[in-house]
Amino acid sequence: MPHIKNIAVIGAGLMGHGIAQVFAMYGYSVMLMDLKKEILSKAVERIRSNLTLMAERGIGSRNDIGPAMAKIKTTVNLNEAASGAHFVVEAVLEDLGLKQKILKDLDSISSPETILATNTSVISITEIAEKSKGRERILGTHFWNPPYLIPLVEVVRGQDTSDAAMDATFQLLNHVGKHPVRVNKDVPGFVGNRLQHALWREAISIVEHGIADPATVDECVKFGFGLRLPILGPLENADMVGTDLTLAIHDYLLKYLESSPEASPLLKKKVEKGDLGFKSGQGFQEWTPEKAQRSRARLQEYLLKVTQI
Ligand code: NAI
């Protein structure tokens, strides 16, 4: 694998601009590519504003903003973006056909040594790589939003991904202050989203069956076991209470938990009615624009506080 200096990020939306920021903050040359110049100027402004906010909260300094911004170049041309890159992250829309096409185009544009990473949230890496020739250098790097604050990146091995590509990606992500983890099997949802949506399925089911209202369900997490989660994962927790107690609880409890392979009828009804959450003002709870904004701000302030770079 080549010494990685040049990064290309394809797609400059919510995730792409943040991923470009991560690499630029650590001195990598970044080419950020999207379909329109206006999208790219907006992305560059977002990066500057993120860096400014972070500096105000003591993450990096104002003096680092100029040098980081100087590392980012933009283009609407895939060839220009990727031909000199040692590492490419694809962060376009979650659409299998589009991702396959971009990976296939990158196959001939980039050097055979270049690692090609996709930021898909749920689509199989093996399927995304299907139309490409150099499949051993294609893998998943699942960043979490916002990528410049959340440390985790799931590095997902496709069916044909080489050890060398996995190792080089791991090293690169460690170098830019991320916390990469290895996902050894290319399964839908990888690890993080499987865990997250197992919890959401149960939460929705509890509301659906009238066991507790939505605010109460969230309170049970926020004021209860959620306080432990940042420092105690479920498996360390299982060991802490004992695998014997965990078994006894599961023997009794699991049969009562939600196990439907379908999305909940309550969730489907809400979507049909247009109760889409923050964006419509009503979801599981009512959201005035002010209340929704307070929730977003609370999350951002919290992440800025707990993030150590
Ligand atoms: P987004 O809609 O904010 O950005 C996607 C960008 O791709 C847009 O700016 C669009 O103009 C651009 N694009 C579309 N076709 C293109 C092409 N042919 N060439 C170059 N750019 C093109 O989407 P977002 O949220 O940033 O998601 C990007 C990827 O990251 C998706 O695969 C998504 O599933 C994944 N992801 C999203 C997370 C989230 O919280 N939004 C979290 C983790 C992963």
Side-chain angles (χ1 to χ4, degrees), residues 138-156:
I138 297 178
L139 44 72
T141 48
H142 181 219
F143 286 82
W144 289 67
N145 184 41
Y148 47 90
L149 292 181
I150 304 242
L152 181 71
V153 183
E154 291 173 277
V155 182
V156 187

Side-chain angles (χ1 to χ4, degrees), residues 10-16 33-35 39 46 90-95 98-99 102 119-122 142-145:
I10 313 305
L14 183 68
M15 295 305 288
M33 186 258 163
D34 207 302
L35 298 174
I39 300 175
R46 278 167 119 174
E90 167 283 298
V92 303
L93 315 172
E94 190 76 335
D95 176 302
L98 178 62
K99 286 183 186 293
I102 288 175
N119 189 50
T120 177
S121 319
V122 291
H142 181 219
F143 286 82
W144 289 67
N145 184 41

Side-chain angles (χ1 to χ4, degrees), residues 291-305:
K291 191 177 163 201
Q293 192 41 40
R294 275 202 302 278
S295 171
R296 288 198 189 92
R298 212 168 37 235
L299 174 62
Q300 179 167 278
E301 286 306 322
Y302 170 78
L303 290 176
L304 283 164
K305 215 173 350 170

Side-chain angles (χ1 to χ4, degrees), residues 88-129:
V88 182
V89 186
E90 167 283 298
V92 303
L93 315 172
E94 190 76 335
D95 176 302
L96 175 62
L98 178 62
K99 286 183 186 293
Q100 282 178 331
K101 178 170 183 326
I102 288 175
L103 268 288
K104 184 167 184 286
D105 291 347
L106 288 171
D107 221 14
S108 50
I109 293 172
S110 58
S111 124
E113 306 255 86
T114 301
I115 296 172
L116 306 178
T118 167
N119 189 50
T120 177
S121 319
V122 291
I123 305 177
S124 149
I125 309 303
T126 308
E127 268 186 77
I128 291 174

Side-chain angles (χ1 to χ4, degrees), residues 38-263:
E38 306 83 82
I39 300 175
L40 289 164
S41 343
K42 196 173 152 211
V44 169
E45 275 326 298
R46 278 167 119 174
I47 295 173
R48 190 186 297 283
S49 140
N50 298 339
L51 288 170
T52 307
L53 183 67
M54 287 163 76
E56 279 167 8
R57 299 297 193 283
I59 305 168
S61 98
R62 277 189 181 276
N63 296 338
D64 301 333
I65 300 175
M69 295 307 297
K71 297 307 279 183
I72 302 170
K73 302 221 164 6
T74 60
T75 177
V76 290
N77 183 307
L78 185 64
N79 199 47
E80 191 189 348
S83 55
H86 305 121
F87 190 89
V88 182
V89 186
E90 167 283 298
V92 303
L93 315 172
E94 190 76 335
D95 176 302
L96 175 62
L98 178 62
K99 286 183 186 293
Q100 282 178 331
K101 178 170 183 326
I102 288 175
L103 268 288
K104 184 167 184 286
D105 291 347
L106 288 171
D107 221 14
S108 50
I109 293 172
S110 58
S111 124
E113 306 255 86
T114 301
I115 296 172
L116 306 178
T118 167
N119 189 50
T120 177
S121 319
V122 291
I123 305 177
S124 149
I125 309 303
T126 308
E127 268 186 77
I128 291 174
E130 211 169 67
K131 309 265 190 256
S132 306
K133 285 199 195 98
R135 292 196 278 267
E136 70 294 338
R137 61 190 175 122
I138 297 178
L139 44 72
T141 48
H142 181 219
F143 286 82
W144 289 67
N145 184 41
Y148 47 90
L149 292 181
I150 304 242
L152 181 71
V153 183
E154 291 173 277
V155 182
V156 187
R157 185 190 279 279
Q159 200 175 281
D160 301 309
T161 312
S162 68
D163 287 342
M166 289 292 285
D167 293 346
T169 302
F170 229 73
Q171 231 181 331
L172 173 68
L173 291 169
N174 271 321
H175 193 238
V176 295
K178 294 288 107 186
H179 187 107
V181 297
R182 246 170 245 267
V183 181
N184 290 323
K185 260 194 199 167
D186 183 17
V187 293
F190 314 131
V191 175
N193 270 324
R194 286 172 91 104
L195 292 169
Q196 182 168 237
H197 287 280
L199 179 62
W200 290 20
R201 176 172 69 178
E202 189 57 39
I204 295 169
S205 175
I206 287 171
V207 173
E208 188 160 25
H209 291 97
I211 299 164
D213 63 29
T216 304
V217 171
D218 283 359
E219 280 169 38
C220 284
V221 179
K222 291 195 286 187
F223 296 95
F225 71 90
L227 291 174
R228 294 198 294 244
L229 283 178
I231 51 149
L232 189 66
L235 298 178
E236 189 176 344
N237 201 162
D239 281 347
M240 193 180 275
V241 300
T243 51
D244 48 347
L245 176 60
T246 305
L247 176 61
I249 291 170
H250 282 202
D251 272 346
Y252 179 79
L253 183 65
L254 290 192
K255 55 185 166 299
Y256 299 110
L257 300 187
E258 185 58 69
S259 62
S260 168
E262 301 258 337

